[in-house]
Amino acid sequence: MKKTIGSFLALIGLSGGTYYYAREIEPGLLDINRNNIISDKISPAFNNFKIVQFSDTHIGFHYTLEQFNKLVTQINALNPDLIVFTGDLVDKPHNYHWSNNLTIALRKLEAPHGKYWIYGNHDHGGYGTEIIQDVMEAADFKLLKNSHSIIDKDNEQIVLAGIDDVMLGQPDLNTALHLADQDLFTILLAHEPDFADTAANFPIDIQLSGHSHGGQVRFPLIGHLYTPAYAEKYVEGKYTFSNQRLSLYVNRGIGTTRLPYRFLCKPEIHVFTLKRT
């Protein structure tokens, strides 16, 4: 019922004065969403450590390489210590006109403690699995596919883990955390946010996700009209789990998919600053 009414309102509203804004203006705006992550598990060496997350660029579907180059400049201006990408690089890998220019743009992103990424459903879809892996590897991004890395600073560590895409991959969190020290502050990258219900049963402190696009089109009182599978429960922003230590952050992403509109749901990147209590 909500989707039916919302779709009708979208048809009426976006056919009027808001259509130009939703198609041409808001998709080009950018929110920089800043969050402090506070924990006594964060060692002194990682106090004020800055992580930038971007997600769901969907390059090729009303989001151009020129726009992405501008995003690269904006991310670098934040001086991140670590950069993470949580999936869906291009919208349709089998139709995208691949060139070295995308690799060059990705390579320009700079972070002294590394650049990491995970698969999204669009990355696996359209025969893109190997192509996108080659592009990201050439751009110095490290893939976390049911695996983890130890981020080291001044002989102290945090754990950064990632799983394969839930929809089209083979996610395995047990494998991703195999031999990881449970006493270390642990971050999980998972494209689909609803995976947090599973992650909450593991020794994970924060999960960073995308996939939902925040719904892309939102209306007052009604909220979002539609989100894809595995982004139906957790749509945008921060969620906490009362009986577990996990906090989930859902990124609205950069690009659009299915429909080239954003309304009351601006694109965003997340900036997380680790703080030791």
Side-chain angles (χ1 to χ4, degrees):
M1 180 68 70
K2 175 183 174 182
K3 291 179 181 177
T4 301
I5 295 173
S7 297
F8 175 75
L9 290 175
L11 178 65
I12 300 300
L14 295 183
S15 64
T18 57
Y19 174 82
Y20 179 81
Y21 172 80
R23 183 182 174 94
E24 304 295 339
I25 303 299
E26 186 165 305
L29 303 178
L30 181 68
D31 269 348
I32 299 177
N33 192 328
R34 301 174 187 269
N35 298 269
N36 288 334
I37 307 296
I38 301 172
S39 172
D40 58 4
K41 292 179 65 180
I42 296 171
S43 61
F46 283 91
N47 194 46
N48 294 317
F49 189 87
K50 189 186 297 182
I51 301 170
V52 170
Q53 176 203 11
F54 71 106
S55 191
D56 297 271
T57 46
H58 288 267
I59 298 170
F61 183 79
H62 296 268
Y63 189 76
T64 67
L65 190 56
E66 290 73 22
Q67 289 174 296
F68 182 67
N69 271 293
K70 181 180 177 181
L71 177 69
V72 168
T73 301
Q74 291 171 305
I75 291 175
N76 283 338
L78 296 168
N79 296 313
D81 295 296
L82 182 76
I83 293 174
V84 297
F85 174 66
T86 44
D88 285 0
L89 180 65
V90 304
D91 196 67
K92 295 179 179 179
H94 59 298
N95 289 334
Y96 184 69
H97 299 292
W98 295 95
S99 75
N100 197 44
N101 292 330
L102 177 54
T103 304
I104 292 171
L106 286 161
R107 192 181 293 137
K108 289 179 181 177
L109 287 165
E110 298 177 350
H113 290 274
K115 304 183 294 187
Y116 294 83
W117 75 287
I118 57 170
Y119 280 112
N121 56 300
H122 282 257
D123 301 317
H124 276 317
Y127 307 101
T129 303
E130 289 79 18
I131 297 173
I132 292 170
Q133 183 174 357
D134 289 344
V135 168
M136 298 299 278
E137 184 175 327
D140 302 321
F141 273 78
K142 181 177 180 179
L143 173 63
L144 294 174
K145 182 181 177 183
N146 301 328
S147 60
H148 71 269
S149 285
I150 302 298
I151 310 301
D152 188 278
K153 184 180 181 188
D154 298 336
N155 294 319
E156 296 178 354
Q157 297 85 31
I158 60 174
V159 175
L160 180 65
I163 57 164
D164 199 4
D165 180 68
V166 173
M167 293 180 67
L168 298 180
Q170 296 179 324
D172 188 335
L173 191 49
N174 281 302
T175 299
L177 296 175
H178 182 59
L179 298 181
D181 187 344
Q182 297 186 16
D183 292 330
L184 295 177
F185 186 80
T186 300
I187 301 167
L188 174 67
L189 308 182
H191 182 66
E192 286 84 357
D194 290 359
F195 186 79
D197 286 335
T198 298
N201 299 310
F202 286 78
I204 295 167
D205 296 284
I206 62 171
Q207 175 181 315
L208 308 184
S209 297
H211 186 54
S212 72
H213 293 244
Q216 271 190 204
V217 175
R218 304 177 67 89
F219 285 97
L221 302 180
I222 295 176
H224 64 276
L225 305 181
Y226 166 83
T227 53
Y230 302 103
E232 297 167 303
K233 189 173 182 180
Y234 308 114
V235 177
E236 65 165 343
K238 180 182 179 181
Y239 300 86
T240 56
F241 295 75
S242 58
N243 295 326
Q244 292 92 1
R245 68 186 185 185
L246 178 69
S247 292
L248 165 67
Y249 293 86
V250 185
N251 190 291
R252 295 195 299 264
I254 298 296
T256 59
T257 189
R258 296 177 182 266
L259 295 172
Y261 312 122
R262 278 188 180 269
F263 187 67
L264 302 183
C265 190
K266 289 191 290 186
E268 72 175 352
I269 57 176
H270 272 128
V271 181
F272 301 100
T273 303
L274 304 187
K275 298 283 187 179
R276 176 175 173 81
T277 54

